[in-house]
Amino acid sequence: QAVKCSNITAELDSDAVCLNSRWMAPSFLDLFDSLHANAGSGSAIDPDAIQRGLESLGQVRAACENDDERRGGPPGGSWRGAGVKVAGDPEIVDKNNRYYHYLGPALLVNLDGRGMVRSLEFVGVWGGKQNANYISEVWHYDVRTQKYKYRDLWNMQGVPAHGCKDQASTPSPSAYWGNSWRSQGDAEFIAGDPLWKSERGENEKPPQDFLSKFKANSETFFINLEDGTFARGPPCGMLKEVIQNPSRFLKPLIMSCSKSPDIWMKEAAAAITESKQHDPKRGKVAMPIKNEQAAQVAQLVFGLAACVRLPQMVPAEEPPTVTSPMASTTGPAPSEDPWVSSDPWSKPVVVSSLSAPMASEDPWSTSDPWSASLPSAL
């Protein structure tokens, strides 16, 4: 029996070696630890470290362009088959039918497998309970081109994975779209699909009354376009400042992160897929805890920065122009930000370990690709 036990022990040890040799995707908490490693050290900004970080982000951008050329198109295209969809009532559903039912408008952060943010999608809702139950329209912001596209989702309700409880609502769902709130065989809305044509003019942007419906506590979802999965993100208010001015967070993040940005970003994209392991049960997706939210904020900063042309890649006489996706052409002047006037945030979101230094301490402030073109009020 001693020999037999010895053989079993040897087999278990062998299995453990095999498991350890496989790459395990870090969780968002692991990624936060990577950011927290050097945060708050009090060390001065290192221009060389910043430059290496910016070059790493530029390498991510170049690699993503090569990926698109190799696969024949961008990730998330409807031509690639099933991805993450948003259906009426409203609900987000991944390619494996994992779902989460929510209320109100939602912001979708669409990333590729390398962690670069390809697009932001503002999905509006209307009808049903509290006028927040059915997807109605989407404004798709392409980060690279800095252009918006608009699509009416009225006839793209799709088929949610959970049962509808609003059949007795007043007025009935049929008052909004036919005899049933379910899909009538129409196309479904696939998150991050860049191939459809806008139903509005080329330079149109969301009007203020649309953006004003995205409140500080509105839902956000981080979507891995490469494998068709999603993770629930922080409340929308936490991402607002990052979307409007990523440069405020970029350089402190580079200094704080113990890994090269390209490696950290790829691990963060994989963490979206792994987040499903923490679901309490089918259809229930927990709100990420504080440290996980901090990692997702960093994921958005790096993902946006990688998608723009960085300072060292642009001639000095031709500074890049980046427009805030929150700017509105049909709304008020920049000094009257519809987000601020309609939904004043009680306090600015600050992640202490990732906060930026004063501008006077930042040698990169003059070459920042974001700050020059953003409206001052944003």
Side-chain angles (χ1 to χ4, degrees):
Q1 288 186 347
V3 172
K4 188 174 183 180
C5 289
S6 177
N7 290 338
I8 293 175
T9 301
E11 291 176 3
L12 290 174
D13 289 342
S14 176
D15 289 341
V17 170
C18 290
L19 287 172
N20 289 332
S21 65
R22 297 172 188 166
W23 181 76
M24 302 295 288
S27 67
F28 280 115
L29 287 177
D30 295 329
L31 293 164
F32 175 80
D33 290 340
S34 297
L35 291 173
H36 197 0
N38 300 324
S41 63
S43 58
I45 292 282
D46 180 356
D48 290 337
I50 296 294
Q51 181 65 28
R52 288 193 297 271
L54 294 176
E55 289 174 351
S56 176
L57 294 173
Q59 290 166 3
V60 171
R61 176 189 173 98
C64 291
E65 291 174 348
N66 290 335
D67 291 342
D68 290 354
E69 184 176 351
R70 186 187 67 255
R71 72 165 69 92
S78 55
W79 57 276
R80 300 193 67 212
V84 174
K85 70 178 183 180
V86 179
D89 199 30
E91 180 181 82
I92 186 167
V93 187
D94 76 4
K95 70 174 185 180
N96 297 315
N97 220 34
R98 173 178 176 249
Y99 72 92
Y100 178 68
H101 173 226
Y102 64 94
L103 287 176
L107 169 62
L108 311 183
V109 179
N110 300 312
L111 306 99
D112 59 31
R114 295 184 185 274
M116 187 171 80
V117 177
R118 295 299 185 105
S119 61
L120 303 173
E121 289 180 312
F122 299 82
V123 183
V125 292
W126 192 70
K129 183 179 180 181
Q130 299 176 348
N131 278 340
N133 261 44
Y134 301 96
I135 56 176
S136 59
E137 56 189 332
V138 61
W139 285 91
H140 172 112
Y141 180 77
D142 188 305
V143 178
R144 184 175 300 181
T145 65
Q146 301 167 47
K147 295 284 188 179
Y148 269 107
K149 295 193 301 181
Y150 172 83
R151 194 173 198 179
D152 187 339
L153 302 178
W154 206 252
N155 295 313
M156 299 181 67
Q157 296 306 302
V159 181
H162 81 292
C164 178
K165 298 180 180 179
D166 294 330
Q167 297 297 340
S169 62
T170 303
S172 68
S174 62
Y176 301 111
W177 32 76
N179 296 325
S180 172
W181 60 277
R182 290 179 177 271
S183 171
Q184 302 298 305
D186 44 77
E188 294 187 303
F189 169 50
I190 304 299
D193 184 354
L195 302 182
W196 49 271
K197 293 183 178 180
S198 179
E199 298 170 2
R200 297 283 177 86
E202 181 182 0
N203 296 316
E204 286 198 47
K205 298 178 182 179
Q208 68 160 4
D209 61 342
F210 175 81
L211 286 179
S212 67
K213 295 175 183 177
F214 288 78
K215 308 298 184 182
N217 62 347
S218 292
E219 291 281 354
T220 71
F221 298 97
F222 282 61
I223 295 174
N224 186 333
L225 299 175
E226 207 71 48
D227 59 11
T229 57
F230 72 87
R232 197 174 172 192
C236 196
M238 284 191 69
L239 303 185
K240 177 177 178 258
E241 290 188 37
V242 174
I243 293 172
Q244 293 172 336
N245 189 7
S247 63
R248 176 187 172 195
F249 303 91
L250 178 57
K251 292 174 285 295
L253 279 177
I254 292 175
M255 292 298 298
S256 297
C257 192
S258 62
K259 297 181 179 180
S260 176
D262 61 324
I263 296 175
W264 191 94
M265 290 169 62
K266 192 169 185 178
E267 292 179 349
I272 294 175
T273 304
E274 296 302 315
S275 67
K276 63 185 178 183
Q277 299 179 5
H278 306 294
D279 292 354
K281 63 179 181 179
R282 176 170 164 75
K284 299 293 182 181
V285 181
M287 171 69 75
I289 64 174
K290 180 179 178 181
N291 288 356
E292 291 174 318
Q293 291 179 10
Q296 289 176 313
V297 169
Q299 185 175 25
L300 179 59
V301 173
F302 279 147
L304 288 173
C307 202
V308 299
R309 196 167 296 279
L310 299 169
Q312 74 275 12
M313 302 170 65
V314 187
E317 64 276 10
E318 297 181 9
T321 300
V322 179
T323 304
S324 167
M326 297 304 177
S328 168
T329 53
T330 58
S335 60
E336 301 174 2
D337 184 349
W339 279 47
V340 175
S341 59
S342 62
D343 186 21
W345 315 101
S346 57
K347 293 181 181 180
V349 177
V350 177
V351 182
S352 59
S353 63
L354 306 179
S355 59
M358 298 296 291
S360 59
E361 301 173 359
D362 188 348
W364 288 87
S365 60
T366 57
S367 60
D368 195 316
W370 295 87
S371 59
S373 60
L374 288 169
S376 58
L378 300 180

